[in-house]
Amino acid sequence: MRKAKLRYSYKSKELSTILSFVLTGIIVGLAIGFFKKAIGFVSARMIYLISLVKDRPIYALGIIILFIIIGTIIYFLSKKDPNINGSGIPIIYGMLDNEFTVDSPRTLIRKFIASTLAIGSGLTLGREGPSVQIGGLIGDIVHKISKSKENKRYFIGSAAGAGIAVAFNAPIAGMLFTVEEIFKKTDRKVFLSTAITIFTAIITADIAFGNHPALLDVPNFEVMHLSMIGILIILGIFVGLSGVFFNYCVIGSKSVYKKININPYIKYLIPFVVTAIVLMIDIDLFASSEDFIFLATKGETSLLKLIIFYFMKIFLLSLAFGAGVSGGSLVPLLVIGSLVGNIVATSLVMAGLLDPSFIFVFSILGMCGHFSAIVRAPITAIILVLEMTGGAFEYLLGISIVSLIAYSIAEICKSKPFYEHLYELMLK
């Protein structure tokens, strides 16, 4: 009788825990779906306002003032709560390791507002980092409210993975990211908590906001032949070197910012003012510039212009990241990787070594290799690209070669994994 009661009690606790993970997934799906919609709403209006400057240059001053107001709001939010600064992924690491004390409900609201304003206003920042942090904070809140006896790590980690899964509409990549980057291991509990939370979040977001791949209208890919392996190795080398350069610039921007000896408020506004000026010159540089991924499908872009876009995106991201503005780097690093692929492919076309029809393919391969070199999660990189393109990319051998070579180049150069390096700096 006693054994039967114990079995019933155990099963009851298991069911309660599963339901808590389901609840977490539902809330994360709704929160991140709404977060994406909010960014889109703000972005559309900012693009419209900036476009007015072309016919009425006098509006330029108003745009700069508007960016200063947005920067001021985010600055005071970050002063109240430093945990909203940057991408937020290192904060999740700290919560998992019990290194940081976070007031999850307040940080969640402030992170949502700050990230929506920063990304929506056009700064070169991505939605994925904040999505991971927002998800992790929701996991922490549900764990406390439910008073579950399950370790809070499973709630925070699985919900953080659900955040990135919904951000990209990529459930399998979200699971792999959770295993490779957040937990850095897998066992029965990690798998079950992650799978339940992520798939519940994805289903909820799809029902509430629609099911769309992260990249829409992806054209058919050219079939790549084994004879192209040599060229793919070359691409992998350049993408890997770009990943090393990316980490050096973006993470190094934090130490550069610390050396700027001016009023902290004025220093914080630098990326907002600079971005406002740049966007009034070229609106194509707005936010993550995801349209750059499709440059090869929209007609020929000169090699010089591609190179300018590449350095401008790294420069603008470094400005925002150095200042600690709330926002992620993953979408920008994917876009920058696509530019590297485009640059390499365009150069090969000019040299007569590649057919122009492969430029878009190289752009997608560049995204994958860049992620692999910077984040050091090659399997996640491959699956993420497959899911982002709606399964349109079928050349697994090519994408695997580029990812492996880029990863190896970053290892040879002793470039630290991006998010781990940021976390180490926060602990100092």
Side-chain angles (χ1 to χ4, degrees):
M1 186 67 139
R2 191 177 170 202
K3 284 184 180 180
K5 284 184 178 180
L6 285 172
R7 265 199 307 271
Y8 175 79
S9 176
Y10 176 74
K11 287 182 179 179
S12 177
K13 286 178 183 177
E14 271 204 334
L15 179 60
S16 175
T17 300
I18 289 171
L19 290 175
S20 295
F21 285 127
V22 169
L23 176 62
T24 303
I26 292 172
I27 298 172
V28 172
L30 292 173
I32 304 304
F34 184 62
F35 178 55
K36 290 161 69 176
K37 289 289 185 183
I39 292 172
F41 178 84
V42 176
S43 296
R45 277 137 193 85
M46 287 300 298
I47 290 172
Y48 170 73
L49 291 174
I50 293 170
S51 69
L52 296 177
V53 176
K54 186 176 181 181
D55 296 323
R56 302 176 182 86
I58 196 170
Y59 285 2
L61 181 59
I63 294 296
I64 291 174
I65 292 172
L66 178 58
F67 269 79
I68 289 173
I69 292 171
I70 292 171
T72 301
I73 294 170
I74 298 172
Y75 174 76
F76 283 107
L77 284 173
S78 67
K79 291 294 286 183
K80 275 186 170 292
D81 190 352
N83 289 321
I84 70 169
N85 290 337
S87 75
I89 293 178
I91 295 294
I92 295 300
Y93 288 167
M95 291 175 70
L96 291 172
D97 294 341
N98 291 315
E99 292 286 349
F100 304 140
T101 301
V102 180
D103 184 345
S104 293
R106 291 184 180 181
T107 298
L108 173 62
I109 295 169
R110 291 165 181 161
K111 184 71 177 183
F112 189 101
I113 295 170
S115 297
T116 299
L117 289 175
I119 302 166
S121 65
L123 268 67
T124 296
L125 293 166
R127 64 186 178 272
E128 82 302 323
S131 296
V132 170
Q133 186 177 9
I134 288 169
L137 293 170
I138 290 172
D140 186 42
I141 293 168
V142 172
H143 178 264
K144 288 174 181 174
I145 292 175
S146 67
K147 296 179 181 178
S148 173
K149 293 182 179 179
E150 189 62 80
N151 193 314
K152 72 173 183 178
R153 286 175 54 85
Y154 296 107
F155 279 86
I156 295 172
S158 62
I164 198 168
V166 176
F168 287 112
N169 195 18
I172 306 303
M175 287 191 65
L176 289 170
F177 183 85
T178 307
V179 171
E180 284 191 300
E181 274 299 304
I182 296 176
F183 286 112
K184 301 190 187 326
K185 67 169 188 175
T186 185
D187 56 33
R188 177 176 169 273
K189 283 189 177 181
V190 167
F191 178 79
L192 284 175
S193 61
T194 300
I196 292 169
T197 308
I198 286 178
F199 282 99
T200 303
I202 286 287
I203 292 169
T204 301
D206 286 352
I207 292 172
F209 304 100
N211 182 6
H212 307 288
L215 299 178
L216 297 173
D217 303 319
V218 176
N220 292 327
F221 291 91
E222 291 291 331
V223 177
M224 303 184 74
H225 307 288
L226 290 176
S227 59
M228 298 181 69
I229 287 179
I231 292 177
L232 293 177
I233 291 173
I234 292 172
L235 174 62
I237 291 171
F238 276 99
V239 173
L241 291 173
S242 175
V244 173
F245 179 66
F246 177 96
N247 280 1
Y248 176 80
C249 292
V250 177
I251 293 182
S253 66
K254 289 192 169 293
S255 59
V256 171
Y257 250 81
K258 287 180 181 178
K259 294 175 183 176
I260 301 175
N261 191 21
I262 58 174
N263 182 284
Y265 170 64
I266 300 298
K267 186 163 61 171
Y268 195 84
L269 291 180
I270 291 174
F272 291 91
V273 174
V274 172
T275 299
I277 294 169
V278 169
L279 293 181
M280 285 187 284
I281 296 170
D282 190 348
I283 194 65
D284 287 338
L285 292 164
F286 189 91
S288 296
S289 303
E290 290 173 62
D291 284 347
F292 283 174
I293 296 169
F294 293 94
L295 280 176
T297 67
K298 298 177 179 179
E300 190 176 332
T301 306
S302 71
L303 184 60
L304 177 60
K305 194 166 186 179
L306 290 171
I307 293 171
I308 291 172
F309 282 155
Y310 172 81
F311 283 107
M312 284 303 300
K313 292 314 292 181
I314 288 183
F315 170 67
L316 292 172
L317 176 60
S318 297
L319 274 181
F321 225 78
V325 181
S326 181
S329 61
L330 209 156
V331 177
L333 76 81
L334 289 172
V335 171
I336 293 168
S338 76
L339 287 171
V340 178
N342 199 330
I343 290 168
V344 172
T346 300
S347 300
L348 291 170
V349 168
M350 291 171 67
L353 299 174
L354 187 70
D355 188 276
S357 59
F358 285 104
I359 294 179
F360 182 64
V361 180
F362 273 54
S363 298
I364 300 298
L365 290 169
M367 286 170 50
C368 181
H370 221 226
F371 185 105
S372 182
I374 294 167
V375 182
R376 286 310 205 293
I379 300 174
T380 300
I382 293 168
I383 300 302
L384 178 62
V385 168
L386 292 177
E387 290 189 294
M388 284 181 70
T389 58
F393 198 89
E394 299 176 356
Y395 194 65
L396 284 174
L397 177 60
I399 206 169
S400 301
I401 289 171
V402 173
S403 181
L404 176 61
I405 296 296
Y407 183 100
S408 301
I409 291 295
E411 285 289 317
I412 291 169
C413 293
K414 294 184 172 22
S415 176
K416 293 182 179 180
F418 187 79
Y419 296 116
E420 288 180 25
H421 195 176
L422 284 175
Y423 182 43
E424 288 174 10
L425 292 175
M426 291 183 71
L427 293 177
K428 288 182 179 179

